[in-house]
PDB file of all heavy atoms in Angstrom:
ATOM      1  N   ASN A  67      10.389  42.140 -17.272  1.00 98.00           N
ATOM      2  CA  ASN A  67      11.189  43.053 -16.463  1.00 98.00           C
ATOM      3  C   ASN A  67      10.993  44.475 -16.978  1.00 98.00           C
ATOM      4  O   ASN A  67      11.405  44.782 -18.128  1.00 98.00           O
ATOM      5  CB  ASN A  67      12.667  42.633 -16.505  1.00 98.00           C
ATOM      6  CG  ASN A  67      13.524  43.331 -15.467  1.00 98.00           C
ATOM      7  OD1 ASN A  67      13.034  44.258 -14.786  1.00 98.00           O
ATOM      8  ND2 ASN A  67      14.730  42.870 -15.285  1.00 98.00           N
ATOM      9  N   HIS A  69      11.749  48.321 -16.811  1.00 98.00           N
ATOM     10  CA  HIS A  69      12.661  49.376 -16.279  1.00 98.00           C
ATOM     11  C   HIS A  69      11.949  50.701 -16.489  1.00 98.00           C
ATOM     12  O   HIS A  69      11.601  51.096 -17.609  1.00 98.00           O
ATOM     13  CB  HIS A  69      13.977  49.361 -17.094  1.00 98.00           C
ATOM     14  CG  HIS A  69      14.664  48.057 -17.067  1.00 98.00           C
ATOM     15  ND1 HIS A  69      15.641  47.743 -16.146  1.00 98.00           N
ATOM     16  CD2 HIS A  69      14.512  46.950 -17.822  1.00 98.00           C
ATOM     17  CE1 HIS A  69      16.080  46.519 -16.342  1.00 98.00           C
ATOM     18  NE2 HIS A  69      15.407  45.977 -17.316  1.00 98.00           N
ATOM     19  N   ASN A 106      13.500  49.172 -11.537  1.00 98.00           N
ATOM     20  CA  ASN A 106      12.770  48.177 -12.347  1.00 98.00           C
ATOM     21  C   ASN A 106      12.005  47.235 -11.440  1.00 98.00           C
ATOM     22  O   ASN A 106      12.321  47.044 -10.263  1.00 98.00           O
ATOM     23  CB  ASN A 106      13.718  47.427 -13.239  1.00 98.00           C
ATOM     24  CG  ASN A 106      14.708  46.534 -12.463  1.00 98.00           C
ATOM     25  OD1 ASN A 106      15.468  47.025 -11.667  1.00 98.00           O
ATOM     26  ND2 ASN A 106      14.637  45.236 -12.702  1.00 98.00           N
ATOM     27  N   PHE A 107      11.047  46.546 -12.053  1.00 98.00           N
ATOM     28  CA  PHE A 107      10.290  45.490 -11.360  1.00 98.00           C
ATOM     29  C   PHE A 107       9.972  44.428 -12.393  1.00 98.00           C
ATOM     30  O   PHE A 107       9.617  44.717 -13.505  1.00 98.00           O
ATOM     31  CB  PHE A 107       9.025  46.070 -10.778  1.00 98.00           C
ATOM     32  CG  PHE A 107       8.092  45.020 -10.198  1.00 98.00           C
ATOM     33  CD1 PHE A 107       8.467  44.215  -9.144  1.00 98.00           C
ATOM     34  CD2 PHE A 107       6.849  44.788 -10.802  1.00 98.00           C
ATOM     35  CE1 PHE A 107       7.608  43.209  -8.659  1.00 98.00           C
ATOM     36  CE2 PHE A 107       5.978  43.784 -10.313  1.00 98.00           C
ATOM     37  CZ  PHE A 107       6.386  43.008  -9.242  1.00 98.00           C
ATOM     38  N   THR A 108      10.118  43.145 -11.936  1.00 98.00           N
ATOM     39  CA  THR A 108       9.901  42.053 -12.849  1.00 98.00           C
ATOM     40  C   THR A 108       8.542  41.410 -12.513  1.00 98.00           C
ATOM     41  O   THR A 108       8.342  40.836 -11.482  1.00 98.00           O
ATOM     42  CB  THR A 108      10.996  41.007 -12.750  1.00 98.00           C
ATOM     43  OG1 THR A 108      12.241  41.667 -12.912  1.00 98.00           O
ATOM     44  CG2 THR A 108      10.828  39.931 -13.821  1.00 98.00           C
ATOM     45  N   ASN A 521      10.401  39.418  -5.047  1.00 95.00           N
ATOM     46  CA  ASN A 521      10.973  40.664  -5.558  1.00 95.00           C
ATOM     47  C   ASN A 521       9.985  41.806  -5.438  1.00 95.00           C
ATOM     48  O   ASN A 521      10.259  42.931  -5.958  1.00 95.00           O
ATOM     49  CB  ASN A 521      11.320  40.488  -7.052  1.00 95.00           C
ATOM     50  CG  ASN A 521      10.101  40.322  -7.926  1.00 95.00           C
ATOM     51  OD1 ASN A 521       9.030  39.897  -7.457  1.00 95.00           O
ATOM     52  ND2 ASN A 521      10.211  40.701  -9.186  1.00 95.00           N
TER      53      ASN A 521
HETATM   54  C1  LIG B 603      15.770  44.488 -12.010  1.00 60.63           C
HETATM   55  O1  LIG B 603      16.509  43.984 -13.124  1.00 60.63           O
HETATM   56  C2  LIG B 603      17.589  43.106 -12.827  1.00 60.63           C
HETATM   57  C3  LIG B 603      18.261  42.764 -14.144  1.00 60.63           C
HETATM   58  O2  LIG B 603      18.408  43.866 -14.955  1.00 60.63           O
HETATM   59  C4  LIG B 603      17.069  41.884 -12.113  1.00 60.63           C
HETATM   60  O3  LIG B 603      18.141  41.087 -11.729  1.00 60.63           O
HETATM   61  C5  LIG B 603      16.283  42.309 -10.904  1.00 60.63           C
HETATM   62  O4  LIG B 603      15.682  41.143 -10.331  1.00 60.63           O
HETATM   63  C6  LIG B 603      15.165  43.301 -11.275  1.00 60.63           C
HETATM   64  N1  LIG B 603      14.496  43.749 -10.071  1.00 60.63           N
HETATM   65  C7  LIG B 603      13.244  43.462  -9.756  1.00 60.63           C
HETATM   66  C8  LIG B 603      12.731  44.076  -8.479  1.00 60.63           C
HETATM   67  O5  LIG B 603      12.490  42.755 -10.426  1.00 60.63           O
END
Side-chain angles (χ1 to χ4, degrees):
N67 194 349
H69 302 267
N106 67 299
F107 171 64
T108 308
N521 68 334

